[in-house]
Amino acid sequence: MRPLVATVDLAALRHNYQLAKQCAPGRKAFAVVKANAYGHGAAAAVECLRDLADGFAVASLEEAEQVRLVDASARLLLLEGCFEPSEYVAAAELGLDVAVQGQAQLDALLAAVIERPLNLWLKLDSGMHRLGFSVDALRRAHARLQSAPQVAELNLMSHFACADERGHPLNEAQLDEFAGLLDLAFDHRSFANSAAVLTMPAAHMDWLRPGIMLYGATPFAELSAEALGLKPVMTLTASIIAIREVPAGDSVGYGAGWVARRPSRIATVSCGYADGYPRTVPPGTCVAIRGQRLPLAGRVSMDMLAVDITDLPQAVLGDAVELWGNEIPIDELAQACGTIGYELLTKVTQRVPRRYING
Ligand SMILES: Cc1ncc(COP(=O)(O)O)c(C=O)c1O
């Protein structure tokens, strides 16, 4: 078997969910498990959190169906609502909470004949301008929904554009827009993604919606997951599958861009960009072998990458190589590549087996 595995620490996942809850005592939290639980495996994440989580949130009916296979009764929020009118029937059958983010969705809902009323989340566009009603349109939607037979709970939600940038003026502006609607009767309100859970108590409302923090990565550029008390959930581990001595002046890998400045020992490692390891890593990016950080040598290939192990003479064939996890924080690698932990986690490809520990 190819030696590459994404180990998922379920105890860390539970720890991070509990940390989100501790940030906002008395509030509830939808664990956001869209995109296959940010690459970790939605079924396993839901199974792991089902006794702990107040609910789950996903991006589509297809994702909701996957969650329902594991947890038949949890509150389960469809974050972007229904993409076509027929989905309201399925949403009612599955007992979902459904966001309503625009006029077309509202009209389709009010025309839908469904077997039981839905918990609805009217989405306010408080300033991100991606989804949601304007304040005035939301007031009109609220009036139309109040006595509609399709409605069980009527709730309010919105989403931050810049919660990861503390002190950004848009944060206050978005909170003000939201607060301007609180004279309306809502059963529950929800605003906070991970960044707001961690740093904006005023946004906690009734239901949190933490995503990235559950997986032990930070939403902030300048605040590490460790400093926030989060534990990394995924560790991506490959092995050394070949070792060679490369004379000074010889190159390694595609494009021959990395040239040995000294007689070097180079390890070939069983992970490449087709596994989700970023091809865009800058020179000097490190992996960890036997607890030591060592730099990549040359370009990342589809299935392999090379590491300069000259400074670790005890390294041998078969040694484990951590690409990210406890020793190489995923956020460090993401930042070096000009991206975010979210992208690296969700891009771990299907051919990488997930192994679950501490379940
Ligand atoms: C509407 C909504 N709520 C909550 C989240 C969770 O955000 P985060 O992963 O930053 O906590 C997302 C994710 O993008 C989202 O789209």
Side-chain angles (χ1 to χ4, degrees):
M1 208 171 92
R2 185 164 174 251
L4 176 64
V5 64
T7 304
V8 175
D9 183 346
L10 296 170
L13 179 60
R14 281 193 296 273
H15 165 88
N16 295 335
Y17 180 84
Q18 279 164 322
L19 195 140
K21 292 278 298 218
Q22 282 158 15
C23 290
R27 320 299 167 97
K28 294 190 167 172
F30 289 112
V32 180
V33 294
K34 62 182 177 161
N36 200 27
Y38 291 41
H40 294 70
V46 170
E47 182 73 52
C48 159
L49 291 175
R50 58 183 291 182
D51 295 336
L52 208 57
D54 305 305
F56 297 95
V58 292
S60 69
L61 201 59
E62 293 75 15
E63 290 182 347
E65 283 166 353
Q66 296 306 310
V67 173
R68 274 287 176 255
L69 294 177
V70 184
D71 190 326
S73 60
R75 285 192 79 149
L76 177 51
L77 170 60
L78 215 45
L79 288 164
E80 293 159 40
C82 291
F83 295 116
E84 44 189 279
S86 63
E87 291 191 354
Y88 283 108
V89 175
E93 278 167 10
L94 290 170
L96 305 185
D97 281 44
V98 179
V100 178
Q101 52 85 1
Q103 201 58 42
Q105 285 191 343
L106 177 63
D107 293 342
L109 168 69
L110 289 169
V113 179
I114 51 180
E115 67 172 28
R116 57 171 153 163
L118 293 161
N119 293 333
L120 295 175
W121 292 81
L122 272 180
K123 184 147 184 176
L124 170 69
D125 182 355
S126 54
M128 182 165 179
H129 300 325
R130 186 174 70 171
L131 294 177
F133 294 93
S134 67
V135 167
D136 290 343
L138 195 134
R139 284 184 180 279
R140 290 193 294 274
H142 183 273
R144 287 178 74 192
L145 286 175
Q146 250 184 334
S147 54
Q150 293 89 350
V151 184
E153 284 178 10
L154 189 49
N155 306 308
L156 176 65
M157 70 182 286
S158 194
H159 192 54
F160 284 107
C162 304
D164 56 324
E165 293 178 51
R166 287 175 293 164
H168 193 292
L170 192 52
N171 294 333
E172 277 305 311
Q174 288 195 256
L175 267 171
D176 287 349
E177 286 282 293
F178 198 91
L181 282 170
L182 295 183
D183 59 305
L184 295 179
F186 288 107
D187 292 294
H188 302 287
R189 303 154 304 155
S190 175
F191 208 165
N193 57 1
S194 296
V197 168
L198 289 160
T199 57
M200 294 174 59
H204 286 167
M205 309 293 166
D206 305 304
W207 280 82
L208 316 169
R209 303 193 311 272
I212 193 68
M213 69 179 293
L214 302 180
Y215 307 104
T218 179
F220 303 102
E222 77 298 343
L223 252 181
S224 73
E226 191 182 9
L228 292 164
L230 299 169
K231 294 187 179 167
V233 175
M234 185 191 290
T235 302
L236 186 61
T237 314
S239 282
I240 298 179
I241 59 169
I243 296 178
R244 65 211 53 251
E245 307 292 335
V246 175
D250 272 19
S251 66
V252 171
Y254 284 122
W258 188 92
V259 177
R261 279 183 296 191
R262 56 179 176 172
S264 298
R265 214 163 153 247
I266 299 297
T268 303
V269 172
S270 53
C271 181
Y273 62 77
D275 303 300
Y277 192 85
R279 189 175 169 278
T280 51
V281 281
T285 298
C286 283
V287 300
I289 304 174
R290 295 178 180 242
Q292 190 167 319
R293 296 166 72 99
L294 296 157
L296 298 195
R299 284 190 200 160
V300 175
S301 332
M302 185 181 288
D303 314 309
M304 288 168 276
L305 50 80
V307 178
D308 181 357
I309 57 169
T310 316
D311 293 330
L312 187 65
Q314 62 272 41
V316 295
L317 215 57
D319 271 2
V321 179
E322 182 188 299
L323 288 317
W324 68 64
N326 281 306
E327 292 171 81
I328 308 286
I330 189 160
D331 300 304
E332 178 190 312
L333 180 65
Q335 245 180 32
C337 301
T339 185
I340 50 181
Y342 300 71
E343 187 180 12
L344 295 186
L345 289 170
T346 55
K347 280 194 168 164
V348 175
T349 58
Q350 259 192 320
R351 76 172 181 177
V352 180
R354 273 62 166 176
R355 182 169 64 98
Y356 297 96
I357 60 167
N358 300 327

